[in-house]
Amino acid sequence: MKRRAFLKKMAAALGLTTLFTFLYPAIRFLSPAKSVGSGEKVTISKRDLQGVSSMDLIVNNTPVVLINRGGQGVVALSRVCTHLGCLVVYSDSREKLVCPCHAAEFNLEGKVLAGPAPRALESINVTLEGDQIIIG
Ligand code: FES
């Protein structure tokens, strides 16, 4: 009897672990990017970008990546690929934006480096005012 109860508990734990293993990535994939503000412009503190290479934002209902280039300043680019609209991802190690759908690559100015994208990523205006970064 004890052995049977133990095996039932182990099977339940294994089932829950398996369920979590499949659900967690799905939930992370479907959850929206961090939305910092609403309206035409988004303002964040410079401190929010310290020690971080990039930050995903929503500006005017457009997914935007804000890239911290260290001493070379900050750039903001639309994450919407100009090929078929997939969301590009910033690769810190490669210092490029890469589209996961058809492997288009963009430099940090948004220009096409490789792949089928017909034009550059849309550049988003960035203004530095004191301790604030204004995007949009
Ligand atoms: Fe980005 Fe096709 S959608 S390369």
Side-chain angles (χ1 to χ4, degrees), residues 18-132:
T18 303
L19 182 67
F20 180 78
T21 302
F22 286 104
L23 282 181
Y24 181 74
I27 291 168
R28 292 285 301 170
F29 177 76
L30 295 173
S31 66
K34 183 180 175 186
S35 181
V36 176
S38 60
E40 292 185 4
K41 296 184 180 193
V42 172
T43 302
I44 65 169
S45 169
K46 283 183 181 175
R47 277 180 277 143
D48 293 339
L49 211 54
Q50 281 180 346
V52 178
S53 62
S54 68
M55 178 184 286
D56 292 339
L57 306 166
I58 302 292
V59 179
N60 286 330
N61 295 320
T62 300
V64 170
V65 60
L66 185 65
I67 301 169
N68 182 1
R69 301 191 310 169
Q72 297 177 322
V74 176
V75 295
L77 297 167
S78 167
R79 290 186 60 211
V80 180
C81 180
T82 56
H83 181 224
L84 294 177
C86 291
L87 295 183
V88 299
V89 177
Y90 175 62
S91 169
D92 188 23
S93 61
R94 297 167 63 194
E95 294 190 351
K96 293 178 187 173
L97 294 116
V98 180
C99 181
C101 292
H102 310 106
E105 294 181 353
F106 305 87
N107 68 11
L108 297 187
E109 294 166 354
K111 293 181 182 161
V112 179
L113 297 175
R119 60 185 180 282
L121 295 172
E122 181 186 353
S123 180
I124 310 296
N125 202 26
V126 175
T127 309
L128 303 177
E129 281 187 15
D131 188 36
Q132 305 286 304

